[in-house]
């Protein structure tokens, strides 16, 4: 079918598109949460000592992100008051509705992180005062932490992988429809989660600890890690796009139209500026020596993954199924599923981060790795 | 109480509380509240079950369609479809290139697919196929997540701004169940729309299907549509992705292109 021989003249209606700005935000939150959890497991489960100092901090971050994330989903619903129907009805669709898997995942995962954080910080909490935890008990706690972390890894991968599955299962939308979507989402999640840690860690180390020092070696480690995650992300995107645009059935025409029209936003902004630039920063000694460059790379990658989520969710829906050309999306400023709701969600995240960081003695635990006993 | 005892007491308390809480969570919604389907189907409501043994579908004979849009307006008034929403509509195409051109009309409605991709993704069981194949939405159960709207390859679902949930063509199930024809079929001036029971070999639709070569829209989507077309041009069968065209002039004047979602074409 050649373009130009067909004119869609009158009464082409504007079809409905259900998912707005909340959904890319939700994907960004769950993805960053999964990544923060995995990075915390580097130390907790895989015993990588160099990540020990930030293991607790990123575990708390993972928890907070996942508590705030589902609010986006509720806000995107047209009937949020009927949320219980999600839990009560329609269980026969469980095998075929990836969204339904969220019932289990979105409850199990934050609970598990919370329990793991409580176990990890048990020795530091006030309530263990008087009951001095002996070596044996500490050992027991450690084993419990490893076990919870080991259960948590597949759970963290699932909690974000299933969101990619939700999109990948939609064969009506060529940009969503690829079995690579879940792992593509995971790879980009690792990028945004690491980027977020690069942004938050120095702020918290500098201003909210007693030792008030930024661990530059850790920043460099994270920048290098970020670069590797970008490599993985780009490799998966390479396989996705080369197959989807070149060796595909009629879906390739829609994708060519989409990527042609959005060349600047997708290829230049997302791929080059927000992925390749941070990758170069992390891999190059010249840039990775500088705290400012690392921070810059972290910010770029975190924003870049948000843009990728946007391009995927909004861009996918912009492709016409029965109508000509592409649709355009203009998010509302206020009301449900609006720019204001996303800002409100971020405010909630910041409030929760503050609350959790006040409640949990993360700074005392982190100080163990930076301050000698004599200094304390 | 020494330390050990107090600890056991505390542990016992925690255990008991957890057990109680768990039991409460499980028992709170009565056993009936958790359902594989939804309350309407569980109770065997006739509107949810439909006419067992039948399989409704439609044949659209495009040779007879004149693009008068009577079906569109009949549908809108019969089903009280809100402004700017459509369960059925008839886009027009100009095919060929000058000087050899012709117009084509393509009446579209929900295909009531045998393998509906909208139904399988529904997380609340609000949308389902009746036993006679008609795909419907329970507007009391649907929570408006929109997954079905994205899953439909034919753009035949929308959010109803009155009920605030997903809505779609019901093949006028309320009429069919009383022995009437769907409003679009009833009002079709050219007799292009013919509906009936595909399981009945003597029905008008079955006869047309056996008499003429027919096809469906986007067969590659694998949804097995149950709306068949006679004389459907191959150029528009896949509802192809087309370039910017002049279809939005009127909507632009109405200011509709500035809505949350709008067509980019002008």
């Amino acid at each position: 079918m050649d373009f130009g021989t067909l004119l869609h003249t009158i009464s082409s209606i504007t079809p409905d598109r259900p998912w707005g700005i909340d959904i890319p935000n939700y994907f960004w939150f769950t993805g960053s949460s999964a990544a923060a959890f995995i990075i915390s497991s580097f130390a907790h489960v895989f015993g990588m000592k160099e990540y020990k100092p930030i293991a607790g901090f990123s575990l708390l971050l993972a928890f907070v992100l996942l508590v705030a994330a589902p609010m986006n989903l509720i806000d995107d619903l047209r009937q949020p008051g009927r949320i219980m129907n999600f839990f009560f009805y329609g269980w026969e669709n469980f095998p075929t509705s990836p969204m339904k898997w969220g019932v289990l995942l979105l409850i199990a995962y934050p609970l598990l992180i919370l329990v793991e954080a409580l176990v990890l910080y048990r020795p530091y909490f006030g309530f263990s005062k008087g009951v001095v935890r002996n070596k044996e008990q500490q050992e027991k706690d450690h084993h419990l932490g490893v076990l919870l972390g080991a259960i948590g890894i597949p759970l963290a991968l699932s909690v974000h992988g299933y969101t990619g599955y939700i999109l990948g299962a939609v064969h009506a939308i060529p940009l969503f429809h690829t079995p690579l979507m879940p792992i593509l989402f995971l790879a980009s999640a690792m990028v945004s989660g690491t980027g977020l840690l690069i942004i938050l860690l120095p702020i918290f180390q500098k201003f909210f600890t007693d030792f008030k020092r930024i661990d530059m070696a850790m920043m460099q480690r994270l920048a290098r890690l970020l670069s590797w995650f970008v490599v993985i992300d780009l490799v998966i995107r390479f396989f996705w796009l080369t197959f989807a645009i070149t060796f595909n059935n009629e879906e390739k025409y829609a994708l060519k139209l989409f990527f042609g029209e959005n060349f600047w936003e997708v290829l230049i902004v997302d791929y080059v500026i927000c992925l390749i630039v941070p990758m170069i920063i992390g891999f190059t000694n010249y840039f990775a020596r500088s705290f400012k460059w690392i921070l810059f790379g972290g910010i770029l990658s975190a924003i870049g993954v948000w843009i990728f989520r946007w391009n995927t969710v909004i861009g996918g829906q912009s492709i016409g199924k029965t109508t000509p050309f592409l649709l355009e999306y203009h998010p509302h400023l206020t009301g449900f599923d609006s720019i204001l709701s996303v800002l409100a969600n971020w405010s909630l995240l910041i409030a929760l981060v503050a609350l959790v960081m006040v409640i949990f003695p993360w700074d005392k635990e982190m100080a163990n790795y930076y301050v000698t006993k004599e200094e304390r | 109480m020494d330390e050990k005892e107090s600890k056991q007491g505390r542990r016992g308390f925690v255990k008991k509380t957890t057990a109680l809480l768990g039991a409460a969570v499980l028992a709170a919604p009565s056993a009936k509240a958790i359902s594989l389907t939804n309350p309407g189907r569980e109770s065997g409501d006739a509107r949810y079950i439909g006419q067992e043994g039948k399989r409704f579908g439609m044949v659209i004979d495009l040779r007879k369609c004149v693009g008068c849009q009577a079906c569109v307006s009949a549908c809108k008034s019969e089903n009280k479809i809100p402004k700017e929403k459509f369960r059925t509509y008839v886009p027009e195409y100009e095919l060929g290139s000058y000087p050899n051109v012709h117009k084509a009309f393509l009446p579209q409605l929900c295909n009531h697919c045998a393998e509906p991709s909208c139904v399988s993704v529904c997380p609340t069981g609000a949308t389902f196929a009746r036993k006679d194949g008609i795909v419907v939405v329970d507007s009391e159960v649907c929570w408006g997540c929109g997954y079905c709207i994205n899953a439909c390859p034919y753009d035949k679902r929308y959010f109803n701004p009155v009920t605030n949930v997903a809505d779609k063509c019901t093949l006028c199930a309320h009429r069919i169940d009383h022995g009437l024809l769907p409003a679009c079929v009833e009002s079709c001036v050219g007799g292009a729309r013919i509906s009936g029971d595909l399981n009945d070999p003597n029905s008008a639709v079955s006869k047309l299907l056996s008499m003429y070569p027919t096809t469906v829209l986007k067969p590659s989507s694998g949804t097995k549509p149950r709306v068949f077309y006679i004389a459907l041009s191959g150029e528009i069968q896949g509802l192809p992705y087309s370039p910017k065209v002049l279809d939005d002039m009127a909507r632009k004047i109405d200011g509709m292109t500035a809505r949350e979602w709008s067509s980019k074409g002008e």
Side-chain angles (χ1 to χ4, degrees), chain B residues 126-232:
Chain B
T127 190
F128 57 94
R130 306 199 318 176
K131 292 201 166 150
D132 51 19
I134 298 178
V135 177
V136 287
V137 182
D138 183 338
S139 63
E140 304 277 304
V141 172
C142 176
W143 68 336
C145 69
Y147 202 4
C148 57
I149 298 179
N150 269 342
C152 173
Y154 303 98
D155 269 344
K156 290 298 168 284
R157 285 173 168 259
Y158 58 91
F159 277 131
N160 185 319
V162 178
T163 59
N164 246 333
V165 292
D167 202 353
K168 66 181 289 297
C169 161
T170 60
L171 210 63
C172 283
H174 61 290
R175 291 173 60 92
I176 286 185
D177 289 347
H178 287 93
L180 300 170
L181 289 172
C184 57
V185 174
E186 187 89 55
S187 63
C188 182
V189 295
R193 291 191 187 228
I194 302 100
S195 73
D197 180 10
L198 297 167
N199 283 350
D200 173 8
N202 292 317
S203 68
V205 276
S206 297
K207 283 181 180 163
L208 281 171
L209 282 174
S210 58
M211 232 183 299
Y212 293 100
T214 56
T215 185
V216 296
L217 292 175
K218 290 193 183 184
S220 63
S221 66
T223 51
K224 296 189 180 166
R226 286 298 172 260
V227 172
F228 300 89
Y229 291 84
I230 296 174
L232 174 62

Side-chain angles (χ1 to χ4, degrees), chain A residues 121-296:
Chain A
Y121 287 110
R122 180 143 69 174
Y124 299 88
F125 270 126
F127 58 64
S128 57
K129 226 182 236 169
V131 190
V132 180
R133 300 190 67 75
N134 60 32
K135 254 241 145 88
E136 196 188 334
Q137 284 169 321
Q138 280 177 10
E139 196 80 340
K140 240 175 153 182
D141 276 4
H142 176 72
H143 283 303
L144 190 56
V146 172
L147 180 69
L148 288 170
I151 300 170
I153 291 170
L155 208 49
L157 296 176
S158 307
V159 91
H160 190 58
Y162 104 98
T163 63
Y165 211 114
I166 287 178
L167 295 192
V170 179
H171 63 79
I173 297 181
L175 194 70
F176 294 177
H177 186 219
T178 166
L180 284 175
M181 201 49 91
I183 56 165
L184 178 61
F185 262 44
L186 283 173
S188 52
M190 295 311 295
V191 174
S192 70
T194 315
L196 187 66
L197 269 179
I198 288 177
I199 300 168
L200 292 184
L201 189 65
I203 298 175
F204 276 84
Q205 284 191 334
K206 179 93 188 159
F207 300 108
F208 302 113
T209 57
D210 293 330
F211 54 90
K212 297 199 186 312
R213 273 200 308 269
I214 297 170
D215 179 358
M216 195 52 201
M218 181 65 78
M219 291 295 283
Q220 282 162 347
R221 204 171 293 131
L222 286 175
R224 181 61 62 93
L225 190 65
L226 175 71
S227 296
W228 279 112
F229 285 143
V230 172
V231 171
I232 296 170
D233 192 10
L234 286 175
V235 168
I236 296 171
R237 289 191 203 201
F238 169 81
F239 286 121
W240 169 42
L241 291 179
T242 48
F243 277 102
I245 299 178
T246 323
F247 313 108
N248 202 347
N249 55 26
E250 63 193 14
E251 283 182 342
K252 70 181 173 191
Y253 299 113
L255 293 176
K256 277 178 186 171
L257 179 69
F258 173 78
F259 284 106
E261 284 295 316
N262 298 291
F263 186 82
W264 175 256
E265 293 95 315
V266 176
L267 269 303
I268 306 298
V269 176
D270 187 16
Y271 284 66
V272 177
I273 299 178
C274 292
L275 283 181
I276 295 177
V277 169
M279 181 184 76
I280 293 170
I281 291 175
F283 277 145
T284 322
N285 281 335
Y286 173 78
F287 293 117
R289 266 201 300 269
S290 149
F291 169 72
K292 280 177 189 158
W293 276 110
I294 291 177
L295 187 63
F296 178 65

Side-chain angles (χ1 to χ4, degrees), chain A residues 3 12 82 85 97 166 328, chain B residues 121 139 141 147 241 247 262:
Chain A
F3 291 152
S12 105
R82 294 187 186 168
N85 292 0
S97 175
I166 287 178
E328 247 175 354
Chain B
V121 298
S139 63
V141 172
Y147 202 4
Y241 313 104
D247 76 313
S262 62

Side-chain angles (χ1 to χ4, degrees), chain A residues 45-103:
Chain A
V45 182
F46 301 111
M48 295 162 76
K49 287 208 172 64
E50 62 270 34
Y51 289 101
K52 223 101 215 201
I54 58 164
F57 180 77
S58 58
L59 186 68
L60 294 177
L61 191 61
F63 174 67
V64 168
L65 280 163
L66 213 96
V67 170
M71 304 299 160
N72 288 294
L73 290 185
I74 297 169
D75 184 61
D76 190 69
L77 294 175
R78 293 302 195 278
Q79 290 278 9
R82 294 187 186 168
I83 191 159
M84 290 321 284
N85 292 0
F86 186 46
F87 298 90
F88 289 166
Y89 307 137
W91 283 95
E92 70 175 356
N93 289 347
F94 188 81
T96 54
S97 175
M99 196 182 273
K100 191 83 181 167
W101 305 343
V103 174

